[in-house]
């Protein structure tokens, strides 16, 4: 039989679970209950490759919205890519990725993101390295400056069943302010809503309104006790809507001084560094986890309505070898400090972009001069470069969503 790509159905659970567990080094029995519960909600997001009625590859396409410079854009998150080891290096995942790109284009996705096992594999599909998620490791005693709560503020620690509603509300408010932040749909929230051992710590302002939340789990106790490992506190989420809420959550961490030696806190590069908030410190460590990559799926949808600080117009020519609809010239015009985008023909372009270069510019990770060094941009009208730089200033995106 020829190779076939199709959307998964519920009855595909066993074969996908076994293959996923093998490819990610998981114990299939230990993860079965959790995976089965998630599969009931997400099976329709999976697309598998069959060869002779055997599943040889699978990937999940998750519908999200992503905050791009303050505007929500339809984003396709590609995750849980797996491949049968006995049939690898035959192009099955490559065919699946092209299928997903074409599907996203047909369904009017603006952009797509993924976490790569190796960046060069997905760069073949024109995905661009964006940034890496980072965490700072420090001793809570360095937070002595915040030994007191802000006046009128309070903290309360909840279990998952009590705290999940606060997480959902505060997460959505935080993402609205974060370039690169991802909005979860109800289906994604449902997959997050399962019992766990995390503590949900919520900070309330003087009016009793929740302004911040963290989720954390402690391990060990202090240092030097032979009956316990060194005390560590891993913070999974940390979202504060105001500086005083951040102060209150840091106060909660400080109260662990006698219990915890190392706290691991996620870093949002768009917020102030943690170092000014520390006091009497001598050493911290930055831990980096997997990078994430992005790709523009639809140029017009990805750039339309972006806020820009000044009026002007320019013409760009974009090359996209995998999605021919993108391969065209575009007139970009600022009207009322928002971009309008339309395809144009027969006019001289000011800039020539590869799709990788335009993606990097959109996300704010490289300047025009740097894009030129990458070979992703040709500057044809030098006088227009300041306009491009002003419209797309450098900014560090933050992706808190894991998929």
């Amino acid at each position: 039989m020829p190779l076939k790509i199709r959307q998964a159905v519920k009855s595909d659970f066993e074969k996908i679970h076994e293959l996923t567990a093998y490819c990610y080094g998981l114990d299939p029995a230990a993860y079965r209950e959790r995976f089965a519960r998630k599969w009931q909600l997400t099976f329709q997001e999976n697309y598998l490759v069959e060869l002779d009625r055997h599943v040889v590859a699978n990937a999940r396409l998750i519908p999200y919205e992503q905050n791009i410079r303050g505007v929500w854009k339809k984003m396709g998150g590609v995750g849980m890519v797996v491949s049968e080891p006995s049939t690898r290096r035959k192009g099955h995942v490559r065919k699946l990725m092209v299928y997903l790109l074409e599907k996203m284009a047909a369904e009017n996705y603006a952009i797509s993101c993924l976490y790569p096992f190796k960046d060069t594999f997905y760069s073949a599909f024109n995905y661009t390295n964006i940034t890496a998620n980072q965490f700072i490791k420090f001793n809570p005693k360095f937070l002595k400056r915040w030994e007191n709560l802000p006046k009128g503020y309070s903290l309360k620690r909840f279990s998952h069943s009590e705290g999940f509603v606060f997480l959902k509300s505060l997460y959505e408010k935080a993402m609205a302010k974060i370039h690169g932040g991802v909005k979860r749909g109800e289906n994604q929230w449902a997959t997050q809503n399962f019992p766990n051992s995390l503590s949900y710590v919520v900070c309330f302002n003087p009016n009793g309104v929740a302004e911040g939340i963290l989720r954390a789990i402690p391990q060990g106790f202090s240092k030097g006790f032979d009956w316990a490992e060194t005390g560590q506190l891993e913070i999974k989420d940390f979202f504060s809507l105001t500086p005083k809420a951040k102060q209150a959550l840091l106060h909660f961490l400080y109260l662990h001084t006698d219990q915890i030696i190392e706290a691991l806190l996620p870093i949002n590069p768009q917020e102030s560094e943690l170092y000014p908030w520390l006091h009497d410190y001598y050493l911290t460590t930055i831990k980096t986890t997997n990078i994430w990559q992005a790709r523009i799926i639809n140029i017009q949808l990805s750039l339309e309505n972006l806020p820009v600080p000044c009026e002007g117009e320019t013409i760009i020519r974009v090359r996209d070898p995998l999605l021919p609809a993108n391969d065209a010239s575009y007139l970009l015009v600022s009207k009322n400090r928002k971009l309008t985008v339309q395809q144009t023909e027969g006019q001289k372009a000011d800039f020539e972009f590869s799709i990788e270069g335009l993606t990097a510019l959109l996300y704010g990770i490289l300047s025009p001069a740097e894009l030129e060094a990458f070979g992703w941009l040709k500057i044809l009208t030098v006088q227009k470069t300041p306009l491009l730089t002003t419209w797309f200033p450098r900014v560090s995106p933050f992706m808190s969503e894991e998929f």
Side-chain angles (χ1 to χ4, degrees), residues 27 44 227 238 295 346 360 390:
D27 180 343
Q44 70 280 4
W227 51 269
F238 188 101
R295 188 201 201 281
T390 303

Side-chain angles (χ1 to χ4, degrees), residues 5 37 50 52-53 63 69 92 109 120 141 144 152 155 160 165 190 221-222 261 285 299 330 369:
I5 299 177
R37 182 172 54 246
E50 284 185 327
D52 297 330
R53 300 184 185 279
R69 299 183 181 272
H92 299 145
Y109 282 80
T120 51
K141 71 180 182 181
K144 183 175 174 58
L155 293 164
H160 168 78
V165 64
F221 182 84
S222 190
I261 302 301
T285 302
I299 291 171
Y330 298 84

Side-chain angles (χ1 to χ4, degrees), residues 67-96:
N67 182 335
I68 300 297
R69 299 183 181 272
V71 181
W72 290 111
K73 301 291 183 179
K74 187 177 180 181
M75 186 270 276
V78 178
M80 303 305 292
V81 180
V82 293
S83 176
E84 167 56 45
S86 61
T87 60
R88 287 176 184 169
R89 300 186 181 274
K90 297 183 184 298
H92 299 145
V93 172
R94 292 182 183 276
K95 289 183 175 65
L96 181 56

Side-chain angles (χ1 to χ4, degrees), residues 138-149:
F138 63 96
N139 193 315
K141 71 180 182 181
F142 299 156
L143 295 171
K144 183 175 174 58
R145 186 190 303 273
W146 314 113
E147 60 183 341
N148 297 313
L149 271 172

Side-chain angles (χ1 to χ4, degrees), residues 297-309:
I297 300 297
N298 183 303
I299 291 171
Q300 191 161 1
L301 292 176
S302 65
L303 300 182
E304 191 76 32
N305 290 323
L306 291 181
V308 289

Side-chain angles (χ1 to χ4, degrees), residues 8 13 30 67-68 85 114 132 163 166 182 242 354 360 371 375 402:
F13 170 74
N67 182 335
I68 300 297
L114 54 78
F166 292 104
V182 172
T242 67
S354 67
L371 292 173
E402 297 179 350

Side-chain angles (χ1 to χ4, degrees), residues 69 309 351 361 367-369 384-394:
R69 299 183 181 272
F351 305 96
L361 188 75
S367 68
K384 290 281 188 176
T385 305
L387 178 65
L388 202 65
T389 304
T390 303
W391 278 358
F392 298 95
R394 281 270 296 107

